[in-house]
Amino acid sequence: MPHVGPDAFGRAIRDHGRGERDAPLIHRDGDETREHPVEAFYFTPPDPDDPGQRWLDDRLRGPLVDLGAGAGRHARYYQERFETVAVEPSPALVETMRERGVRDAREGDMFDLPAQFPADRFGSALANGTQLGLAPSQRALRKFLGDLAHVTTSDATAVVDCYDPEYEATRELLGYRADPEPGVGRRVMWFEYEGDADPALVFRLFAPEKLREAAVGTAWAVADVRRGDGESTHHYRAALAKRDA
């Protein structure tokens, strides 16, 4: 799917990678703003000795599709272990990944996978960065899981992540909105860079139980949930496995 908009987010990260960024990348909700931590989020390589990274390594195999791959932080790491395809909707981020040595970086839409890849193409999938929250409803989340099942093998695994709205720290995120549905929250924010503003992003935040509900009737089951450490327990990763594996 072609990218639409100024791509302020992608340009800021690309400029940072080139050593050319002189302005902050801001995320905003109305008058409230915070500077986005570009270096820490997108350019710090994974530490194979970190317990959270070891947990992730144990649950992924090749060929891997890295959905919403950013600047290629995980793609660079995993492509040295097995075939890795990195997918991003931002042209600037695809350019950044290629400049940083990601061997297969593609512009694409994680919510339209069957149009981009054949059946049984991947042995695992990674969607790290809470992009799955852009699925606007439980039905859309279930459709994504069905599409992901189509492009992965019968014994595939996947790891996705989200913020849990049942934790107080999630409610303190910039742009948080309450939702009447139990286990669900919303987040509205957008990125600005050098005077350009991207379209607003509307995230649906969901507790692990809502992910389990969405997986019912799909090929996936939630096999494990790992919460962040210390002050990050409101963020979690969920490991998915095929039911018939």
Side-chain angles (χ1 to χ4, degrees), residues 221-236:
V222 177
D224 194 14
V225 172
R226 188 184 194 279
R227 294 195 175 273
D229 300 320
E231 297 180 354
S232 298
T233 55
H234 60 304
H235 173 262
Y236 69 90

Side-chain angles (χ1 to χ4, degrees), residues 31-233:
D31 293 333
E32 186 178 2
T33 63
R34 294 179 192 171
E35 184 171 351
H36 198 57
V38 173
E39 178 68 29
F41 277 15
Y42 305 103
F43 292 92
T44 302
D47 178 1
D49 295 324
D50 176 76
Q53 186 60 44
R54 290 201 302 269
W55 181 91
L56 192 59
D57 291 347
D58 288 344
R59 286 156 179 82
L60 298 176
R61 64 175 73 98
L64 168 71
V65 61
D66 184 359
L67 301 169
R73 178 174 176 264
H74 285 103
R76 291 177 43 165
Y77 175 86
Y78 283 114
Q79 72 181 6
E80 302 308 320
R81 292 156 175 78
F82 37 69
E83 181 192 359
T84 300
V85 178
V87 177
E88 254 295 339
S90 160
L93 289 180
V94 173
E95 189 177 3
T96 300
M97 286 193 283
R98 290 171 178 166
E99 290 176 357
R100 299 185 71 225
V102 175
R103 291 191 281 270
D104 193 343
R106 309 183 187 189
E107 187 177 344
D109 181 358
M110 67 179 280
F111 294 105
D112 193 21
L113 292 173
Q116 299 163 84
F117 299 106
D120 304 323
R121 172 66 175 85
F122 299 104
S124 64
L126 173 65
N128 186 80
T130 73
Q131 304 95 311
L132 189 53
L134 293 172
S137 65
Q138 193 77 338
R139 180 177 180 179
L141 178 56
R142 185 174 292 112
K143 179 183 181 301
F144 168 80
L145 293 175
D147 288 350
L148 186 63
H150 178 75
V151 301
T152 52
T153 58
S154 62
D155 61 347
T157 59
V159 175
V160 301
D161 72 334
C162 195
Y163 290 112
D164 188 340
E166 296 185 340
Y167 279 62
E168 183 61 34
T170 297
R171 299 167 194 151
E172 295 173 358
L173 292 171
L174 182 143
Y176 180 79
R177 308 283 198 276
D179 190 283
E181 183 180 354
V184 173
R186 303 282 173 170
R187 188 184 189 195
V188 181
M189 46 83 71
W190 61 93
F191 288 98
E192 296 181 358
Y193 176 62
E194 292 185 331
D196 287 335
D198 284 336
L201 299 171
V202 181
F203 294 89
R204 178 178 181 267
L205 312 180
F206 47 86
E209 292 73 20
K210 303 302 292 186
L211 181 61
R212 291 189 178 96
E213 288 178 14
V216 173
T218 76
W220 298 104
V222 177
D224 194 14
V225 172
R226 188 184 194 279
R227 294 195 175 273
D229 300 320
E231 297 180 354
S232 298
T233 55

